[in-house]
Amino acid sequence: MLLCFDVSQCRKYFEMRVFENMIVNLITTVYNFLWGDLFTIPLPGGGSLGISLLILLLIPTGIYFTIRTRFLPIRLFPDMIRALSEKKNEKSSLSSFQTLIVSTATRVGMGNLVGVVAAVSAGGAGAVFWMWVTAIIGSSTAFIEATLAQLHKEEDPLYGGYRGGPAYYIEIALHNKLLAGAFAFFLIITYAGGFNALASYNLQSTFSVYGFYEKGVTSWVIGGILAVLVGYCLMGGGKRIMRVTEVLVPFMGVLYVILALVIIVMHIGMIPSVLSAVLADAFDFQKILGGISGSCMMYGIKRGLYSNEAGVGSAPNAAAAADVSHPAQQGLVQMLSVFIDTVLCTATALMCMFSGVTPTKAMAGAPYVQAATQTDFGAFGPIMITVAMVLFAFTPLIGNLFYVDNCLA
């Protein structure tokens, strides 16, 4: 209950609530426009398959690039690994590995945990298979956009090294300053505002399952600590962001994969049944005709596209900063980032499926992953997931700001 001590205080409160509702409504409208069903395809069984605008744009594009490059992600997978060893020529520039870390920091986030759980819970085990398919298609797109960023990069007069990305190659290659400026503007408000606000919210929800969490106090403490840490990274510019992500991203990725591998080894006898469930659910034509598997396919594809960010135009901002001998070298490196993201998504899905825990509406998201690990590790399981979630929420915060800094320039 709100206690208003004067009329002006009440007015300010209600004005703030109206503004918040306007922002929420705006975000919901944009989200529904991009990810909602643009049109539906009727199926013989009486159901329907909904197609969103981003799926309509990104999947055909990815398929086109995959065919034109003669299945590059599969054909040149060993070259992706070798491309990481390329050394930079100038001390002030960034290496292929460093730019891989930044792009992976933004791709690998809470979506790899909470989003995957939502996709598997709503779409079924088959959603995992469609995430794999989307990764192969998306990595071809990632190769193209990273190579374009390298082709049209420019020297950074402020920090040294290079800068570039879609805003740059739209202006240079397409000679369209208006479209380039629009891209930069929308990336800034999306990554500095929307994505970082979402990451902060997910970080808060991670602690809500613990008894010590009090919304009015704990949230302010977590927010304050987060602000100080992000501020420290920002004050050092892109180079400090790079140094922090170089330490945190490999640590959190390896830690999480090890946790998943331990759980898989503990349930190694379930591997055939889990994999068969994934494939059977993905290709259940009876469900497809009934419109049921449409959710499995669509949830998997949407989760894959949202998580790996291929075609979104974010990762090329990091790719342009690399000092490489040939533009395609950086394209290969960014393909690897998509695969890393998919491996972590798969790790989350397998941990949940091996646990035997049935998700409920109350457990949706972080609590489900924590409950799944608790079956094997006891009270220590949720703590490990909390540590992983803190890292998965923090690294996108600073990685996103690296992109924002690039577009502000």
Side-chain angles (χ1 to χ4, degrees):
M1 183 177 179
L2 176 66
L3 298 177
C4 295
F5 296 101
D6 54 51
V7 176
S8 61
Q9 187 180 12
C10 288
R11 186 181 295 113
K12 286 179 182 178
Y13 172 78
F14 287 114
E15 285 175 352
M16 184 178 68
R17 296 298 297 174
V18 169
F19 178 73
E20 286 178 359
N21 289 334
M22 286 174 58
I23 296 296
V24 170
N25 290 335
L26 176 62
I27 293 173
T28 303
T29 302
V30 174
Y31 174 84
N32 289 334
F33 174 71
L34 295 174
W35 289 110
D37 293 343
L38 184 65
F39 61 89
T40 56
I41 302 172
L43 298 174
S48 60
L49 189 66
I51 306 294
S52 68
L53 177 61
L54 282 183
I55 288 179
L56 189 64
L57 291 174
L58 295 179
I59 293 298
T61 303
I63 292 172
Y64 171 77
F65 288 142
T66 303
I67 294 172
R68 280 300 304 267
T69 59
R70 292 180 290 124
F71 292 88
L72 190 74
I74 300 171
R75 186 165 54 86
L76 295 183
F77 190 84
D79 295 83
M80 283 192 274
I81 309 298
R82 284 194 289 269
L84 285 175
S85 61
E86 183 162 332
K87 304 295 182 182
K88 59 184 181 180
N89 296 318
E90 298 178 18
K91 189 176 181 181
S92 61
S93 60
L94 303 176
S95 67
S96 293
F97 178 75
Q98 288 175 313
T99 56
L100 170 71
I101 292 300
V102 171
S103 59
T104 304
T106 59
R107 283 189 170 108
V108 176
M110 294 295 281
N112 294 79
L113 288 89
V114 179
V116 171
V117 169
V120 173
S121 300
V128 178
F129 173 82
W130 294 108
M131 287 182 207
W132 298 338
V133 173
T134 305
I136 295 174
I137 296 171
S139 54
S140 298
T141 308
F143 171 83
I144 297 296
E145 61 182 359
T147 305
L148 276 172
Q150 275 289 317
L151 281 168
H152 302 290
K153 67 186 179 183
E154 61 182 41
E155 291 187 4
D156 188 341
L158 187 60
Y159 298 110
Y162 302 98
R163 67 187 183 192
Y168 293 81
Y169 60 69
I170 288 171
E171 180 177 351
I172 297 168
L174 299 182
H175 309 291
N176 194 325
K177 287 189 175 184
L178 181 63
L179 190 59
F183 179 90
F185 173 75
F186 284 112
L187 185 140
I188 290 167
I189 63 173
T190 301
Y191 280 80
F195 278 1
N196 277 4
L198 182 61
S200 303
Y201 173 79
N202 284 328
L203 183 60
Q204 295 281 359
S205 66
T206 302
F207 291 92
S208 63
V209 297
Y210 294 100
F212 65 80
Y213 185 85
E214 291 184 21
K215 190 174 181 180
V217 179
T218 315
S219 58
W220 281 97
V221 174
I222 296 171
I225 295 172
L226 195 62
V228 170
L229 292 175
V230 172
Y232 169 77
C233 295
L234 285 181
M235 287 174 189
K239 296 295 174 67
R240 183 174 291 174
I241 290 175
M242 189 67 67
R243 286 199 299 270
V244 173
T245 53
E246 270 187 300
V247 175
L248 289 182
V249 173
F251 172 74
M252 75 179 187
V254 171
L255 177 71
Y256 196 67
V257 170
I258 289 175
L259 174 64
L261 287 175
V262 170
I263 292 177
I264 290 170
V265 170
M266 292 173 70
H267 300 276
I268 198 163
M270 293 178 62
I271 292 178
S273 61
V274 168
L275 290 179
S276 63
V278 169
L279 295 175
D281 195 43
F283 294 100
D284 192 329
F285 292 104
Q286 187 175 357
K287 288 183 179 179
I288 291 176
L289 294 176
I292 301 171
S293 191
S295 61
C296 156
M297 185 186 298
M298 287 301 110
Y299 272 110
I301 292 174
K302 285 180 179 180
R303 175 45 45 196
L305 288 174
Y306 181 82
S307 184
N308 64 45
E309 295 188 21
V312 173
S314 54
N317 291 279
D323 183 7
V324 292
S325 60
H326 192 280
Q329 290 287 101
Q330 186 59 20
L332 291 170
V333 169
Q334 291 303 316
M335 281 168 52
L336 185 60
S337 181
V338 174
F339 279 102
I340 292 171
D341 174 84
T342 306
V343 166
L344 293 175
C345 283
T346 305
T348 300
L350 292 179
M351 279 194 296
C352 293
M353 286 189 281
F354 281 134
S355 70
V357 177
T358 304
T360 62
K361 202 174 248 187
M363 290 170 56
Y368 179 35
V369 188
Q370 290 168 322
T373 53
Q374 191 169 8
T375 58
D376 292 309
F377 295 101
F380 189 55
I383 295 174
M384 288 191 293
I385 292 298
T386 299
V387 171
M389 290 180 121
V390 168
L391 293 174
F392 278 31
F394 178 69
T395 52
L397 281 173
I398 55 177
N400 288 342
L401 293 174
F402 183 92
Y403 298 161
V404 169
D405 178 64
N406 195 49
C407 281
L408 281 170

